[in-house]
Amino acid sequence: EPEVTQTPSHQVTQMGQEVILRCVPISNHLYFYWYRQILGQKVEFLVSFYNNEISEKSEIFDDQFSVERPDGSNFTLKIRSTKLEDSAMYFCASSEIRIWGAYGYTFGSGTRLTVV
Amino acid sequence: DQQVKQNSPSLSVQEGRISILNCDYTNSMFDYFLWYKKYPAEGPTFLISISSIKDKNEDGRFTVFLNKSAKHLSLHIVPSQPGDSAVYFCAASAVTSSGTYKYIFGTGTRLKVLA
């Protein structure tokens, strides 16, 4: 079964450092998403991406965050200057172009980011 | 802004019995509701969904009920199995201004099925 792959599974970084979280969506999917879950809290929408541009972003997704699809397969989330409160599980997801609300995205297994 | 709420953080059920997980929402504009299941160290996995125009959807052991007037939905698992032990997230689907969908998740309910 096709999978969304995320690397690394766990990243520890110093406060103020830049991190890049990587995702390989399912190959025929065209919509990409990042969500995050702070420990013990709900899964929160960060950003959606289609046709090489951001289509929607939440208030969490401020200027510290950026997304990119540098080639035909990877989808990255960059945090420029990490803060302690960025520590969370970050999930990448993808969906086919015609998918609509009835169908779930396919999520990756997540990257646990720990900012120290 | 808790548009989707799961008020029970945990639930324990005996194997073979029914598990009922509950979810409440506040926004009447949500058009689909979904349940996701999450095992430790894995991403959420889509389980079942229901359109806002229906009141029940069934898939094998899983049934989702929607009560629009009460803004409440529930997931029934019958019979419950030990492999069902996971965190279950309720999510509501909202169309964004760009025509994509984003999900608004509840905080999850940890289900433990006891053998």
Side-chain angles (χ1 to χ4, degrees), chain B residues 24-73:
Chain B
D24 297 294
Y25 63 95
T26 55
N27 188 342
S28 56
M29 298 303 291
F30 289 139
D31 54 355
Y32 279 93
F33 302 90
L34 306 94
W35 284 94
Y36 276 83
K37 176 176 169 179
K38 185 182 178 303
Y39 293 115
E42 293 184 15
T45 303
F46 172 71
L47 197 56
I48 191 169
S49 67
I50 187 166
S51 163
S52 59
I53 62 171
K54 294 193 171 181
D55 54 21
K56 179 181 173 182
N57 187 27
E58 195 171 346
D59 183 3
R61 296 185 298 115
F62 302 93
T63 303
V64 56
F65 295 93
L66 176 63
N67 182 334
K68 282 188 70 177
S69 60
K71 293 193 176 71
H72 177 85
L73 65 153

mmCIF file of all heavy atoms in Angstrom, chain B residues 24-73:
data_model
loop_
_atom_site.group_PDB
_atom_site.id
_atom_site.type_symbol
_atom_site.label_atom_id
_atom_site.label_comp_id
_atom_site.label_asym_id
_atom_site.label_seq_id
_atom_site.Cartn_x
_atom_site.Cartn_y
_atom_site.Cartn_z
ATOM 1 N N ASP B 24 -18.057 16.108 20.172
ATOM 2 C CA ASP B 24 -18.987 17.232 20.014
ATOM 3 C C ASP B 24 -18.341 18.318 19.180
ATOM 4 O O ASP B 24 -17.118 18.474 19.204
ATOM 5 C CB ASP B 24 -19.360 17.807 21.396
ATOM 6 C CG ASP B 24 -20.082 16.805 22.255
ATOM 7 O OD1 ASP B 24 -21.207 16.430 21.884
ATOM 8 O OD2 ASP B 24 -19.517 16.367 23.281
ATOM 9 N N TYR B 25 -19.141 19.044 18.439
ATOM 10 C CA TYR B 25 -18.602 20.121 17.619
ATOM 11 C C TYR B 25 -19.482 21.352 17.751
ATOM 12 O O TYR B 25 -20.609 21.292 18.224
ATOM 13 C CB TYR B 25 -18.467 19.683 16.156
ATOM 14 C CG TYR B 25 -19.771 19.328 15.476
ATOM 15 C CD1 TYR B 25 -20.465 20.258 14.709
ATOM 16 C CD2 TYR B 25 -20.303 18.044 15.600
ATOM 17 C CE1 TYR B 25 -21.646 19.927 14.084
ATOM 18 C CE2 TYR B 25 -21.492 17.708 14.980
ATOM 19 C CZ TYR B 25 -22.161 18.646 14.214
ATOM 20 O OH TYR B 25 -23.338 18.320 13.597
ATOM 21 N N THR B 26 -18.931 22.479 17.344
ATOM 22 C CA THR B 26 -19.673 23.727 17.519
ATOM 23 C C THR B 26 -20.070 24.384 16.192
ATOM 24 O O THR B 26 -21.027 25.144 16.147
ATOM 25 C CB THR B 26 -18.837 24.733 18.328
ATOM 26 O OG1 THR B 26 -17.570 24.921 17.683
ATOM 27 C CG2 THR B 26 -18.582 24.222 19.747
ATOM 28 N N ASN B 27 -19.346 24.060 15.122
ATOM 29 C CA ASN B 27 -19.568 24.749 13.852
ATOM 30 C C ASN B 27 -20.537 23.967 12.978
ATOM 31 O O ASN B 27 -20.223 22.890 12.498
ATOM 32 C CB ASN B 27 -18.213 24.912 13.147
ATOM 33 C CG ASN B 27 -18.294 25.786 11.923
ATOM 34 O OD1 ASN B 27 -19.365 26.024 11.379
ATOM 35 N ND2 ASN B 27 -17.147 26.256 11.461
ATOM 36 N N SER B 28 -21.701 24.528 12.722
ATOM 37 C CA SER B 28 -22.710 23.818 11.935
ATOM 38 C C SER B 28 -22.365 23.777 10.446
ATOM 39 O O SER B 28 -23.068 23.151 9.658
ATOM 40 C CB SER B 28 -24.077 24.467 12.138
ATOM 41 O OG SER B 28 -24.004 25.837 11.810
ATOM 42 N N MET B 29 -21.301 24.435 10.038
ATOM 43 C CA MET B 29 -20.909 24.448 8.632
ATOM 44 C C MET B 29 -20.002 23.275 8.240
ATOM 45 O O MET B 29 -19.669 23.114 7.076
ATOM 46 C CB MET B 29 -20.182 25.751 8.303
ATOM 47 C CG MET B 29 -21.037 26.997 8.489
ATOM 48 S SD MET B 29 -22.546 26.938 7.522
ATOM 49 C CE MET B 29 -21.890 27.092 5.859
ATOM 50 N N PHE B 30 -19.590 22.479 9.203
ATOM 51 C CA PHE B 30 -18.771 21.318 8.855
ATOM 52 C C PHE B 30 -19.567 20.408 7.933
ATOM 53 O O PHE B 30 -20.736 20.152 8.163
ATOM 54 C CB PHE B 30 -18.371 20.529 10.101
ATOM 55 C CG PHE B 30 -17.362 21.242 10.968
ATOM 56 C CD1 PHE B 30 -17.484 21.207 12.352
ATOM 57 C CD2 PHE B 30 -16.269 21.900 10.419
ATOM 58 C CE1 PHE B 30 -16.566 21.847 13.171
ATOM 59 C CE2 PHE B 30 -15.347 22.543 11.223
ATOM 60 C CZ PHE B 30 -15.494 22.516 12.602
ATOM 61 N N ASP B 31 -18.931 19.885 6.874
ATOM 62 C CA ASP B 31 -19.683 19.068 5.932
ATOM 63 C C ASP B 31 -19.391 17.581 6.039
ATOM 64 O O ASP B 31 -20.192 16.766 5.608
ATOM 65 C CB ASP B 31 -19.490 19.569 4.497
ATOM 66 C CG ASP B 31 -18.031 19.667 4.097
ATOM 67 O OD1 ASP B 31 -17.155 19.432 4.953
ATOM 68 O OD2 ASP B 31 -17.762 19.958 2.931
ATOM 69 N N TYR B 32 -18.249 17.230 6.567
ATOM 70 C CA TYR B 32 -17.933 15.828 6.802
ATOM 71 C C TYR B 32 -17.274 15.683 8.163
ATOM 72 O O TYR B 32 -16.585 16.588 8.627
ATOM 73 C CB TYR B 32 -16.982 15.274 5.734
ATOM 74 C CG TYR B 32 -17.679 14.888 4.459
ATOM 75 C CD1 TYR B 32 -17.785 15.796 3.412
ATOM 76 C CD2 TYR B 32 -18.232 13.621 4.290
ATOM 77 C CE1 TYR B 32 -18.432 15.460 2.242
ATOM 78 C CE2 TYR B 32 -18.883 13.275 3.123
ATOM 79 C CZ TYR B 32 -18.978 14.202 2.105
ATOM 80 O OH TYR B 32 -19.622 13.868 0.944
ATOM 81 N N PHE B 33 -17.493 14.526 8.729
ATOM 82 C CA PHE B 33 -16.861 14.185 9.995
ATOM 83 C C PHE B 33 -16.132 12.866 9.820
ATOM 84 O O PHE B 33 -16.630 11.966 9.157
ATOM 85 C CB PHE B 33 -17.903 14.083 11.115
ATOM 86 C CG PHE B 33 -18.676 15.354 11.296
ATOM 87 C CD1 PHE B 33 -19.857 15.562 10.596
ATOM 88 C CD2 PHE B 33 -18.205 16.347 12.132
ATOM 89 C CE1 PHE B 33 -20.568 16.737 10.722
ATOM 90 C CE2 PHE B 33 -18.910 17.533 12.278
ATOM 91 C CZ PHE B 33 -20.092 17.735 11.570
ATOM 92 N N LEU B 34 -14.957 12.792 10.398
ATOM 93 C CA LEU B 34 -14.123 11.619 10.197
ATOM 94 C C LEU B 34 -13.599 11.129 11.537
ATOM 95 O O LEU B 34 -13.458 11.895 12.484
ATOM 96 C CB LEU B 34 -12.935 11.972 9.300
ATOM 97 C CG LEU B 34 -13.249 12.620 7.952
ATOM 98 C CD1 LEU B 34 -13.189 14.137 8.058
ATOM 99 C CD2 LEU B 34 -12.272 12.157 6.886
ATOM 100 N N TRP B 35 -13.298 9.863 11.564
ATOM 101 C CA TRP B 35 -12.599 9.281 12.705
ATOM 102 C C TRP B 35 -11.258 8.748 12.227
ATOM 103 O O TRP B 35 -11.169 8.069 11.194
ATOM 104 C CB TRP B 35 -13.414 8.157 13.341
ATOM 105 C CG TRP B 35 -14.553 8.661 14.164
ATOM 106 C CD1 TRP B 35 -15.850 8.837 13.760
ATOM 107 C CD2 TRP B 35 -14.514 9.060 15.542
ATOM 108 N NE1 TRP B 35 -16.614 9.324 14.805
ATOM 109 C CE2 TRP B 35 -15.813 9.461 15.906
ATOM 110 C CE3 TRP B 35 -13.500 9.116 16.506
ATOM 111 C CZ2 TRP B 35 -16.127 9.921 17.188
ATOM 112 C CZ3 TRP B 35 -13.814 9.564 17.780
ATOM 113 C CH2 TRP B 35 -15.128 9.957 18.122
ATOM 114 N N TYR B 36 -10.242 9.083 12.990
ATOM 115 C CA TYR B 36 -8.912 8.594 12.726
ATOM 116 C C TYR B 36 -8.457 7.774 13.933
ATOM 117 O O TYR B 36 -8.828 8.043 15.072
ATOM 118 C CB TYR B 36 -7.933 9.764 12.546
ATOM 119 C CG TYR B 36 -7.903 10.355 11.174
ATOM 120 C CD1 TYR B 36 -8.836 11.305 10.789
ATOM 121 C CD2 TYR B 36 -6.937 9.955 10.250
ATOM 122 C CE1 TYR B 36 -8.806 11.857 9.515
ATOM 123 C CE2 TYR B 36 -6.911 10.499 8.979
ATOM 124 C CZ TYR B 36 -7.845 11.448 8.624
ATOM 125 O OH TYR B 36 -7.812 11.983 7.370
ATOM 126 N N LYS B 37 -7.610 6.805 13.639
ATOM 127 C CA LYS B 37 -7.057 5.944 14.671
ATOM 128 C C LYS B 37 -5.545 6.151 14.645
ATOM 129 O O LYS B 37 -4.955 6.277 13.574
ATOM 130 C CB LYS B 37 -7.422 4.515 14.299
ATOM 131 C CG LYS B 37 -6.882 3.426 15.150
ATOM 132 C CD LYS B 37 -7.480 2.115 14.609
ATOM 133 C CE LYS B 37 -6.841 0.908 15.195
ATOM 134 N NZ LYS B 37 -7.450 -0.325 14.670
ATOM 135 N N LYS B 38 -4.956 6.216 15.812
ATOM 136 C CA LYS B 38 -3.505 6.439 15.847
ATOM 137 C C LYS B 38 -2.854 5.508 16.855
ATOM 138 O O LYS B 38 -3.186 5.516 18.037
ATOM 139 C CB LYS B 38 -3.214 7.903 16.202
ATOM 140 C CG LYS B 38 -1.731 8.249 16.132
ATOM 141 C CD LYS B 38 -1.474 9.669 16.534
ATOM 142 C CE LYS B 38 0.013 9.959 16.489
ATOM 143 N NZ LYS B 38 0.806 9.053 17.334
ATOM 144 N N TYR B 39 -1.882 4.737 16.334
ATOM 145 C CA TYR B 39 -1.041 3.925 17.203
ATOM 146 C C TYR B 39 0.201 4.732 17.565
ATOM 147 O O TYR B 39 0.591 5.646 16.826
ATOM 148 C CB TYR B 39 -0.612 2.636 16.497
ATOM 149 C CG TYR B 39 -1.733 1.660 16.206
ATOM 150 C CD1 TYR B 39 -2.092 1.346 14.904
ATOM 151 C CD2 TYR B 39 -2.422 1.038 17.251
ATOM 152 C CE1 TYR B 39 -3.109 0.438 14.644
ATOM 153 C CE2 TYR B 39 -3.442 0.132 16.988
ATOM 154 C CZ TYR B 39 -3.775 -0.155 15.688
ATOM 155 O OH TYR B 39 -4.785 -1.057 15.433
ATOM 156 N N PRO B 40 0.845 4.401 18.685
ATOM 157 C CA PRO B 40 2.090 5.094 19.045
ATOM 158 C C PRO B 40 3.112 5.023 17.918
ATOM 159 O O PRO B 40 3.223 3.998 17.240
ATOM 160 C CB PRO B 40 2.580 4.314 20.276
ATOM 161 C CG PRO B 40 1.355 3.689 20.846
ATOM 162 C CD PRO B 40 0.472 3.377 19.679
ATOM 163 N N ALA B 41 3.830 6.094 17.707
ATOM 164 C CA ALA B 41 4.913 6.175 16.713
ATOM 165 C C ALA B 41 4.416 6.021 15.275
ATOM 166 O O ALA B 41 5.200 5.749 14.366
ATOM 167 C CB ALA B 41 6.005 5.146 16.999
ATOM 168 N N GLU B 42 3.120 6.172 15.059
ATOM 169 C CA GLU B 42 2.594 6.150 13.704
ATOM 170 C C GLU B 42 1.735 7.390 13.475
ATOM 171 O O GLU B 42 1.288 8.035 14.410
ATOM 172 C CB GLU B 42 1.750 4.902 13.474
ATOM 173 C CG GLU B 42 2.530 3.607 13.493
ATOM 174 C CD GLU B 42 1.661 2.412 13.158
ATOM 175 O OE1 GLU B 42 0.544 2.592 12.649
ATOM 176 O OE2 GLU B 42 2.123 1.275 13.410
ATOM 177 N N GLY B 43 1.486 7.705 12.204
ATOM 178 C CA GLY B 43 0.592 8.796 11.888
ATOM 179 C C GLY B 43 -0.858 8.369 12.027
ATOM 180 O O GLY B 43 -1.162 7.175 12.072
ATOM 181 N N PRO B 44 -1.778 9.325 12.087
ATOM 182 C CA PRO B 44 -3.205 8.969 12.133
ATOM 183 C C PRO B 44 -3.616 8.219 10.874
ATOM 184 O O PRO B 44 -3.149 8.515 9.776
ATOM 185 C CB PRO B 44 -3.898 10.346 12.194
ATOM 186 C CG PRO B 44 -2.850 11.312 12.643
ATOM 187 C CD PRO B 44 -1.562 10.787 12.109
ATOM 188 N N THR B 45 -4.470 7.243 11.044
ATOM 189 C CA THR B 45 -4.984 6.439 9.929
ATOM 190 C C THR B 45 -6.483 6.663 9.812
ATOM 191 O O THR B 45 -7.206 6.544 10.803
ATOM 192 C CB THR B 45 -4.714 4.939 10.178
ATOM 193 O OG1 THR B 45 -3.315 4.743 10.364
ATOM 194 C CG2 THR B 45 -5.183 4.105 8.997
ATOM 195 N N PHE B 46 -6.925 6.972 8.625
ATOM 196 C CA PHE B 46 -8.354 7.193 8.390
ATOM 197 C C PHE B 46 -9.131 5.916 8.666
ATOM 198 O O PHE B 46 -8.779 4.832 8.222
ATOM 199 C CB PHE B 46 -8.556 7.640 6.945
ATOM 200 C CG PHE B 46 -9.988 7.709 6.528
ATOM 201 C CD1 PHE B 46 -10.828 8.688 7.015
ATOM 202 C CD2 PHE B 46 -10.499 6.772 5.640
ATOM 203 C CE1 PHE B 46 -12.149 8.750 6.625
ATOM 204 C CE2 PHE B 46 -11.820 6.824 5.244
ATOM 205 C CZ PHE B 46 -12.653 7.817 5.728
ATOM 206 N N LEU B 47 -10.236 6.063 9.391
ATOM 207 C CA LEU B 47 -11.055 4.911 9.779
ATOM 208 C C LEU B 47 -12.396 4.931 9.065
ATOM 209 O O LEU B 47 -12.750 4.018 8.338
ATOM 210 C CB LEU B 47 -11.235 4.958 11.296
ATOM 211 C CG LEU B 47 -11.691 3.734 12.052
ATOM 212 C CD1 LEU B 47 -10.770 2.567 11.789
ATOM 213 C CD2 LEU B 47 -11.737 4.030 13.546
ATOM 214 N N ILE B 48 -13.162 5.966 9.266
ATOM 215 C CA ILE B 48 -14.526 6.031 8.733
ATOM 216 C C ILE B 48 -14.970 7.486 8.727
ATOM 217 O O ILE B 48 -14.464 8.297 9.518
ATOM 218 C CB ILE B 48 -15.483 5.156 9.584
ATOM 219 C CG1 ILE B 48 -16.836 4.981 8.909
ATOM 220 C CG2 ILE B 48 -15.620 5.704 11.003
ATOM 221 C CD1 ILE B 48 -17.723 3.917 9.578
ATOM 222 N N SER B 49 -15.881 7.819 7.819
ATOM 223 C CA SER B 49 -16.384 9.191 7.772
ATOM 224 C C SER B 49 -17.901 9.177 7.627
ATOM 225 O O SER B 49 -18.518 8.145 7.334
ATOM 226 C CB SER B 49 -15.762 9.944 6.596
ATOM 227 O OG SER B 49 -16.219 9.406 5.367
ATOM 228 N N ILE B 50 -18.488 10.343 7.823
ATOM 229 C CA ILE B 50 -19.929 10.496 7.624
ATOM 230 C C ILE B 50 -20.194 11.889 7.083
ATOM 231 O O ILE B 50 -19.584 12.873 7.537
ATOM 232 C CB ILE B 50 -20.715 10.223 8.927
ATOM 233 C CG1 ILE B 50 -22.223 10.214 8.661
ATOM 234 C CG2 ILE B 50 -20.364 11.236 10.026
ATOM 235 C CD1 ILE B 50 -23.046 9.623 9.798
ATOM 236 N N SER B 51 -21.059 11.945 6.109
ATOM 237 C CA SER B 51 -21.494 13.228 5.573
ATOM 238 C C SER B 51 -22.462 13.882 6.549
ATOM 239 O O SER B 51 -23.196 13.207 7.256
ATOM 240 C CB SER B 51 -22.179 12.992 4.233
ATOM 241 O OG SER B 51 -22.937 14.117 3.861
ATOM 242 N N SER B 52 -22.489 15.197 6.511
ATOM 243 C CA SER B 52 -23.395 15.936 7.400
ATOM 244 C C SER B 52 -24.861 15.737 7.027
ATOM 245 O O SER B 52 -25.754 16.092 7.790
ATOM 246 C CB SER B 52 -23.057 17.423 7.393
ATOM 247 O OG SER B 52 -23.168 17.945 6.086
ATOM 248 N N ILE B 53 -25.116 15.141 5.851
ATOM 249 C CA ILE B 53 -26.519 14.929 5.456
ATOM 250 C C ILE B 53 -27.013 13.537 5.860
ATOM 251 O O ILE B 53 -28.161 13.187 5.632
ATOM 252 C CB ILE B 53 -26.729 15.140 3.942
ATOM 253 C CG1 ILE B 53 -25.913 14.139 3.117
ATOM 254 C CG2 ILE B 53 -26.385 16.569 3.572
ATOM 255 C CD1 ILE B 53 -26.250 14.174 1.626
ATOM 256 N N LYS B 54 -26.130 12.753 6.462
ATOM 257 C CA LYS B 54 -26.520 11.421 6.911
ATOM 258 C C LYS B 54 -26.525 11.376 8.436
ATOM 259 O O LYS B 54 -25.981 12.254 9.105
ATOM 260 C CB LYS B 54 -25.551 10.380 6.365
ATOM 261 C CG LYS B 54 -25.595 10.246 4.859
ATOM 262 C CD LYS B 54 -24.875 9.011 4.414
ATOM 263 C CE LYS B 54 -25.113 8.781 2.933
ATOM 264 N NZ LYS B 54 -24.440 7.561 2.456
ATOM 265 N N ASP B 55 -27.125 10.316 8.969
ATOM 266 C CA ASP B 55 -27.071 10.168 10.420
ATOM 267 C C ASP B 55 -26.375 8.873 10.851
ATOM 268 O O ASP B 55 -26.145 8.669 12.043
ATOM 269 C CB ASP B 55 -28.475 10.261 11.044
ATOM 270 C CG ASP B 55 -29.449 9.288 10.423
ATOM 271 O OD1 ASP B 55 -28.988 8.290 9.812
ATOM 272 O OD2 ASP B 55 -30.670 9.504 10.554
ATOM 273 N N LYS B 56 -26.002 8.053 9.885
ATOM 274 C CA LYS B 56 -25.334 6.801 10.239
ATOM 275 C C LYS B 56 -24.504 6.322 9.061
ATOM 276 O O LYS B 56 -24.927 6.420 7.903
ATOM 277 C CB LYS B 56 -26.390 5.745 10.592
ATOM 278 C CG LYS B 56 -25.843 4.382 10.963
ATOM 279 C CD LYS B 56 -26.992 3.427 11.269
ATOM 280 C CE LYS B 56 -26.500 2.002 11.484
ATOM 281 N NZ LYS B 56 -27.621 1.064 11.726
ATOM 282 N N ASN B 57 -23.325 5.804 9.366
ATOM 283 C CA ASN B 57 -22.516 5.142 8.351
ATOM 284 C C ASN B 57 -21.826 3.957 9.010
ATOM 285 O O ASN B 57 -21.275 4.081 10.109
ATOM 286 C CB ASN B 57 -21.480 6.102 7.748
ATOM 287 C CG ASN B 57 -20.756 5.480 6.573
ATOM 288 O OD1 ASN B 57 -21.306 4.607 5.892
ATOM 289 N ND2 ASN B 57 -19.543 5.906 6.324
ATOM 290 N N GLU B 58 -21.881 2.826 8.312
ATOM 291 C CA GLU B 58 -21.386 1.586 8.909
ATOM 292 C C GLU B 58 -20.314 0.981 8.009
ATOM 293 O O GLU B 58 -20.444 0.966 6.781
ATOM 294 C CB GLU B 58 -22.561 0.618 9.029
ATOM 295 C CG GLU B 58 -22.355 -0.560 9.921
ATOM 296 C CD GLU B 58 -23.667 -1.320 10.141
ATOM 297 O OE1 GLU B 58 -24.747 -0.767 9.823
ATOM 298 O OE2 GLU B 58 -23.605 -2.445 10.619
ATOM 299 N N ASP B 59 -19.264 0.463 8.622
ATOM 300 C CA ASP B 59 -18.216 -0.233 7.872
ATOM 301 C C ASP B 59 -17.679 -1.337 8.761
ATOM 302 O O ASP B 59 -16.825 -1.111 9.624
ATOM 303 C CB ASP B 59 -17.104 0.746 7.495
ATOM 304 C CG ASP B 59 -16.019 0.099 6.656
ATOM 305 O OD1 ASP B 59 -16.145 -1.094 6.307
ATOM 306 O OD2 ASP B 59 -15.030 0.785 6.337
ATOM 307 N N GLY B 60 -18.210 -2.537 8.540
ATOM 308 C CA GLY B 60 -17.764 -3.673 9.345
ATOM 309 C C GLY B 60 -18.121 -3.489 10.806
ATOM 310 O O GLY B 60 -19.276 -3.252 11.166
ATOM 311 N N ARG B 61 -17.100 -3.547 11.645
ATOM 312 C CA ARG B 61 -17.335 -3.416 13.088
ATOM 313 C C ARG B 61 -17.523 -1.964 13.537
ATOM 314 O O ARG B 61 -17.832 -1.705 14.694
ATOM 315 C CB ARG B 61 -16.157 -4.027 13.866
ATOM 316 C CG ARG B 61 -15.982 -5.525 13.669
ATOM 317 C CD ARG B 61 -14.887 -6.102 14.554
ATOM 318 N NE ARG B 61 -13.586 -5.525 14.261
ATOM 319 C CZ ARG B 61 -12.892 -4.768 15.122
ATOM 320 N NH1 ARG B 61 -13.397 -4.475 16.313
ATOM 321 N NH2 ARG B 61 -11.700 -4.308 14.794
ATOM 322 N N PHE B 62 -17.306 -1.036 12.617
ATOM 323 C CA PHE B 62 -17.318 0.383 12.969
ATOM 324 C C PHE B 62 -18.582 1.070 12.432
ATOM 325 O O PHE B 62 -18.924 0.933 11.261
ATOM 326 C CB PHE B 62 -16.075 1.073 12.390
ATOM 327 C CG PHE B 62 -14.783 0.463 12.865
ATOM 328 C CD1 PHE B 62 -14.156 -0.538 12.137
ATOM 329 C CD2 PHE B 62 -14.210 0.876 14.056
ATOM 330 C CE1 PHE B 62 -12.961 -1.114 12.583
ATOM 331 C CE2 PHE B 62 -13.020 0.309 14.510
ATOM 332 C CZ PHE B 62 -12.409 -0.681 13.774
ATOM 333 N N THR B 63 -19.249 1.803 13.299
ATOM 334 C CA THR B 63 -20.420 2.579 12.902
ATOM 335 C C THR B 63 -20.281 3.973 13.487
ATOM 336 O O THR B 63 -19.962 4.123 14.678
ATOM 337 C CB THR B 63 -21.719 1.936 13.424
ATOM 338 O OG1 THR B 63 -21.801 0.589 12.950
ATOM 339 C CG2 THR B 63 -22.934 2.709 12.940
ATOM 340 N N VAL B 64 -20.519 4.957 12.652
ATOM 341 C CA VAL B 64 -20.507 6.337 13.150
ATOM 342 C C VAL B 64 -21.934 6.873 13.081
ATOM 343 O O VAL B 64 -22.642 6.663 12.092
ATOM 344 C CB VAL B 64 -19.503 7.212 12.376
ATOM 345 C CG1 VAL B 64 -19.768 7.203 10.892
ATOM 346 C CG2 VAL B 64 -19.492 8.617 12.912
ATOM 347 N N PHE B 65 -22.352 7.505 14.161
ATOM 348 C CA PHE B 65 -23.670 8.114 14.256
ATOM 349 C C PHE B 65 -23.514 9.619 14.369
ATOM 350 O O PHE B 65 -22.647 10.106 15.098
ATOM 351 C CB PHE B 65 -24.412 7.600 15.508
ATOM 352 C CG PHE B 65 -24.741 6.134 15.472
ATOM 353 C CD1 PHE B 65 -23.865 5.206 16.027
ATOM 354 C CD2 PHE B 65 -25.914 5.684 14.886
ATOM 355 C CE1 PHE B 65 -24.154 3.854 16.002
ATOM 356 C CE2 PHE B 65 -26.215 4.332 14.857
ATOM 357 C CZ PHE B 65 -25.336 3.408 15.409
ATOM 358 N N LEU B 66 -24.359 10.343 13.658
ATOM 359 C CA LEU B 66 -24.320 11.802 13.703
ATOM 360 C C LEU B 66 -25.676 12.348 14.138
ATOM 361 O O LEU B 66 -26.709 12.015 13.555
ATOM 362 C CB LEU B 66 -23.947 12.364 12.326
ATOM 363 C CG LEU B 66 -23.955 13.884 12.178
ATOM 364 C CD1 LEU B 66 -22.918 14.527 13.101
ATOM 365 C CD2 LEU B 66 -23.710 14.291 10.733
ATOM 366 N N ASN B 67 -25.654 13.181 15.145
ATOM 367 C CA ASN B 67 -26.860 13.875 15.614
ATOM 368 C C ASN B 67 -26.621 15.365 15.393
ATOM 369 O O ASN B 67 -25.974 16.033 16.202
ATOM 370 C CB ASN B 67 -27.089 13.558 17.095
ATOM 371 C CG ASN B 67 -28.345 14.211 17.645
ATOM 372 O OD1 ASN B 67 -28.801 15.239 17.134
ATOM 373 N ND2 ASN B 67 -28.911 13.624 18.679
ATOM 374 N N LYS B 68 -27.139 15.860 14.286
ATOM 375 C CA LYS B 68 -26.854 17.244 13.911
ATOM 376 C C LYS B 68 -27.479 18.248 14.871
ATOM 377 O O LYS B 68 -26.911 19.303 15.139
ATOM 378 C CB LYS B 68 -27.332 17.528 12.483
ATOM 379 C CG LYS B 68 -26.411 16.990 11.426
ATOM 380 C CD LYS B 68 -26.804 17.462 10.050
ATOM 381 C CE LYS B 68 -26.528 18.939 9.861
ATOM 382 N NZ LYS B 68 -26.859 19.364 8.468
ATOM 383 N N SER B 69 -28.660 17.939 15.346
ATOM 384 C CA SER B 69 -29.325 18.896 16.239
ATOM 385 C C SER B 69 -28.535 19.063 17.534
ATOM 386 O O SER B 69 -28.469 20.156 18.102
ATOM 387 C CB SER B 69 -30.762 18.471 16.528
ATOM 388 O OG SER B 69 -30.777 17.208 17.155
ATOM 389 N N ALA B 70 -27.907 17.986 17.975
ATOM 390 C CA ALA B 70 -27.096 18.045 19.196
ATOM 391 C C ALA B 70 -25.641 18.364 18.898
ATOM 392 O O ALA B 70 -24.844 18.514 19.836
ATOM 393 C CB ALA B 70 -27.188 16.722 19.947
ATOM 394 N N LYS B 71 -25.276 18.435 17.627
ATOM 395 C CA LYS B 71 -23.881 18.635 17.204
ATOM 396 C C LYS B 71 -22.991 17.597 17.901
ATOM 397 O O LYS B 71 -21.984 17.939 18.550
ATOM 398 C CB LYS B 71 -23.419 20.056 17.493
ATOM 399 C CG LYS B 71 -24.126 21.130 16.662
ATOM 400 C CD LYS B 71 -23.395 22.455 16.773
ATOM 401 C CE LYS B 71 -24.007 23.518 15.888
ATOM 402 N NZ LYS B 71 -25.305 23.998 16.353
ATOM 403 N N HIS B 72 -23.360 16.369 17.713
ATOM 404 C CA HIS B 72 -22.687 15.280 18.410
ATOM 405 C C HIS B 72 -22.523 14.099 17.464
ATOM 406 O O HIS B 72 -23.432 13.777 16.698
ATOM 407 C CB HIS B 72 -23.524 14.846 19.625
ATOM 408 C CG HIS B 72 -22.958 13.691 20.360
ATOM 409 N ND1 HIS B 72 -21.992 13.813 21.337
ATOM 410 C CD2 HIS B 72 -23.228 12.359 20.263
ATOM 411 C CE1 HIS B 72 -21.684 12.616 21.810
ATOM 412 N NE2 HIS B 72 -22.416 11.722 21.186
ATOM 413 N N LEU B 73 -21.350 13.484 17.508
ATOM 414 C CA LEU B 73 -21.199 12.228 16.790
ATOM 415 C C LEU B 73 -20.508 11.208 17.683
ATOM 416 O O LEU B 73 -19.851 11.573 18.666
ATOM 417 C CB LEU B 73 -20.455 12.387 15.463
ATOM 418 C CG LEU B 73 -19.006 12.810 15.409
ATOM 419 C CD1 LEU B 73 -18.374 12.264 14.142
ATOM 420 C CD2 LEU B 73 -18.880 14.325 15.395
#
